[in-house]
Amino acid sequence: MDLVNSLEGRLLFAVPKKGRLNAATLNLLEGADIQFRRENRLDIALVKNLPIALIFLPAADIPTFVGQGRVDLGITGWDQVKEHDAAVKAAASEDPSSPVSGSEMVMDLEFGACKLQVQVPEKGQYATGTDLIGRTIGTSFVSLTEEYFAQLEAQAGGAAPQKLRTKIIELSGSVEAACALGVADGIVDLVESGETMRAAGLKAIDTVVESVAVLIKSRSPSNTDLVDLIAARIRGVITAQRYVLCQYNIERSSIAAATQITPGKRAPTVTSLDDGWVAVSSMVEKKKIALVMDDLKRVGAQDILVLDIHNTR
Ligand SMILES: Nc1ncnc2c1ncn2[C@@H]1O[C@H](COP(=O)(O)OP(=O)(O)OP(=O)(O)O)[C@@H](O)[C@H]1O
Ligand SMILES: O=P(O)(O)OC[C@H]1O[C@H](OP(=O)(O)OP(=O)(O)O)[C@H](O)[C@@H]1O
């Protein structure tokens, strides 16, 4: 099969090929009924039930492909989008004829939360980002780190200097090892639980970017209706993941108190039973469900059931 020709007329959708965002992204695609079969080692998969082709790329490259309009949609980390934007801004300041590239945020996907933080040895002499001016910093986020220190240097020394005084060294992984091995005085890297940072004897002294996985689109997608359809489906899956369906029976006289506890997304569904009781069914935020059940019990609810929601629109 001529793969390039088979992309004709299809919306191109870039997804992380591996790493931290891969599994949750594939889950989301499944929930949105985007059906595909990826051949072994092939980075392009044609979607069976929609005119879409999935392109499997490293998360760090997705903002470039979407920003240049080579693909229409992408899922990546907000940190990667900001890093790409900072790189484009830096390139434009050096060469105004460099290509303009930038994507548009469609929505936050509520997974892959982490922070890009400035980290230093726990027992060292550095307490603030400013203390690291003129030192050596290891990072995979070179452009954001340069932007961060350029700002600090400008604040510390008046006008922005022509050349950065702080030395930025690009590392492609296991960045936390750089301080212990004397490669860098500090690092700028991602922190989620903080376990990797603490294990390396480091502490965070500042946050450069707060990140979460995002859906981004090019500034001129090939099929805006299809972009909207995918966005609506993904939004439905995310909402469904955030809520559960709570069902219970309660005496009609207590319904006002109960529906105050479970007001639903718009309104609860109330069905009359015989004998002066009603059955109520209502969407409740997953993280609040235990407290809601306690409160429902207190106002006399019985037969409380909590059900997963697979999708919603
Ligand atoms: N510990 C983490 N917790 C949550 N999200 C993370 C974490 N580390 C990274 N991410 C998110 O996942 C994105 C991709 O990171 P990841 O380290 O998986 O990169 P990769 O280059 O695809 O994989 P690898 O590091 O194996 O080459 C990051 O840009 C960030 O948005
Ligand atoms: O705060 P934590 O929960 O410990 O997570 C943070 C770590 O996760 C990421 O690395 P990853 O494990 O993806 O490997 P990498 O070093 O190859 O990027 C990130 O670069 C940190 O090292």
Side-chain angles (χ1 to χ4, degrees):
M1 174 177 53
D2 181 346
L3 206 52
V4 174
N5 278 338
S6 63
L7 295 184
E8 193 64 39
R10 286 181 183 262
L11 187 91
L12 304 187
F13 187 175
V15 295
K17 68 182 287 181
K18 62 183 178 68
R20 299 274 186 163
L21 304 182
N22 175 265
T25 300
L26 295 183
N27 252 337
L28 208 55
L29 297 181
E30 191 187 343
D33 196 28
I34 295 174
Q35 299 173 11
F36 65 96
R37 199 164 62 86
R38 186 179 170 194
E39 302 286 343
N40 192 25
R41 308 224 39 87
L42 206 58
D43 287 333
I44 296 176
L46 303 183
V47 173
K48 292 180 202 161
N49 54 343
L50 286 167
I52 297 174
L54 299 178
I55 320 287
F56 292 86
L57 296 172
D61 294 341
I62 291 177
T64 306
F65 282 74
V66 180
Q68 292 186 3
R70 308 288 170 187
V71 303
D72 303 289
L73 269 180
I75 290 180
T76 186
W78 184 238
D79 52 341
Q80 301 293 357
V81 175
K82 298 303 282 176
E83 170 66 11
H84 175 257
D85 289 351
V88 169
K89 215 163 107 191
S93 74
E94 289 202 349
D95 173 11
S97 67
S98 61
V100 180
S101 163
S103 50
E104 279 178 33
M105 162 87 158
V106 181
M107 77 179 96
D108 169 338
L109 299 174
E110 301 187 13
F111 63 87
C114 55
K115 292 178 183 174
L116 183 65
Q117 294 192 306
V118 183
Q119 301 165 46
V120 293
E122 224 158 4
K123 295 193 184 75
Q125 73 263 43
Y126 309 114
T128 66
T130 310
D131 296 342
L132 286 166
I133 291 177
R135 304 284 160 195
T136 301
I137 310 298
T139 188
S140 313
F141 293 81
V142 171
S143 300
L144 279 174
T145 304
E146 282 178 353
E147 197 176 85
Y148 173 84
F149 281 101
Q151 259 170 28
L152 284 188
E153 289 184 17
Q155 278 163 18
Q162 286 298 311
K163 193 175 176 312
L164 210 58
R165 276 188 278 150
T166 312
K167 187 173 175 200
I168 315 294
I169 297 188
E170 181 165 10
L171 301 169
S172 50
S174 305
V175 177
E176 290 86 354
C179 292
L181 297 174
V183 170
D185 300 299
I187 62 165
V188 173
D189 197 24
L190 296 171
V191 178
E192 183 200 7
S193 64
E195 238 173 88
T196 312
M197 173 174 74
R198 283 189 293 275
L202 301 171
K203 65 177 177 192
I205 53 171
D206 205 357
T207 297
V208 180
V209 167
E210 296 212 11
S211 186
V212 68
V214 289
L215 177 69
I216 52 172
K217 65 174 179 182
S218 91
R219 293 195 190 282
S220 49
S222 61
N223 181 341
T224 48
D225 287 346
L226 195 48
V227 167
D228 292 346
L229 178 92
I230 295 166
R233 284 193 184 187
I234 289 180
R235 197 169 282 118
V237 178
I238 291 172
T239 307
Q241 286 169 349
R242 207 184 319 137
Y243 286 88
V244 286
L245 190 69
C246 182
Q247 293 183 339
Y248 54 89
N249 297 333
I250 193 154
E251 271 185 294
R252 187 176 288 282
S253 57
S254 302
I255 191 172
T259 54
Q260 241 182 3
I261 300 166
T262 59
K265 253 188 97 196
R266 188 158 300 138
T269 306
V270 180
T271 315
S272 289
L273 304 173
D274 314 333
D275 61 12
W277 282 64
V278 289
V280 182
S281 146
S282 179
M283 280 169 77
V284 175
E285 265 192 279
K286 212 177 254 177
K287 63 181 181 203
K288 296 190 181 147
I289 191 64
L291 289 176
V292 163
M293 289 172 83
D294 296 343
D295 290 347
L296 284 175
K297 261 308 205 207
R298 219 165 285 132
V299 299
Q302 291 189 5
D303 310 317
I304 306 173
L305 295 178
V306 178
L307 310 168
D308 275 339
I309 301 170
H310 289 292
N311 214 328
T312 172
R313 219 48 92 74

